[in-house]
Amino acid sequence: MRKLIMMFLLLSPAIAAFAQTNDKEAVKNVLNNYKKAIEKLDTAGVVNLFVKDSKVFEQAKDEGTIGHYLEHHLGPELKDFKSFTFSDYKVDVIVTGDYAFSTETYIYTIILAKDGKEIKSQGVATSVLRKTKEGWKIVQTHSSFRKAK
């Protein structure tokens, strides 16, 4: 029995580290799915990446829930774009229990449908995610950008 307890104590940190690695990858997958939807200019299913009472902030403005943001801001904007691509994308995730905190940095390039004009900006997004019975979901996200140099 003593050997069994010792083995459990020795393996516990390894099991916890493995679970945290899986959670980090799951969180990164949620963020990547959101990014891919924007790049496809298609927000179908994006609400499923967020909790129902989510909060979206952009450039210091409260955009409401993801549903409101998609209907009144991002959705109409995407219709004006020929393309939207991310580059130099980096993500850092910290998992603490049932919550995760992420920071994404990137360059995004937008080509306008109307005249082919290119808009290139450097962006950052921070998000809080919560582990739910359906998986990791975004609770709150805040993004900001400035013209790329």
Side-chain angles (χ1 to χ4, degrees), residues 68-137:
H68 186 269
Y69 179 61
L70 294 176
E71 186 177 335
H72 298 281
H73 186 113
L74 186 60
E77 255 184 5
L78 292 178
K79 292 176 183 166
D80 293 333
F81 302 158
K82 181 178 179 182
S83 69
F84 192 128
T85 56
F86 290 92
S87 60
D88 297 332
Y89 179 81
K90 294 179 182 81
V91 62
D92 183 48
V93 174
I94 297 169
V95 175
T96 305
D98 288 342
Y99 286 88
F101 308 91
S102 70
T103 303
E104 300 166 279
T105 58
Y106 45 82
I107 303 290
Y108 67 80
T109 305
I110 296 169
I111 306 295
L112 298 178
K114 171 176 76 172
D115 57 9
K117 180 181 174 187
E118 180 183 272
I119 300 167
K120 196 169 202 164
S121 297
Q122 177 182 351
V124 64
T126 57
S127 299
V128 177
L129 294 88
R130 184 174 67 227
K131 193 174 196 175
T132 70
K133 55 187 170 184
E134 294 89 27
W136 286 96
K137 304 253 183 186

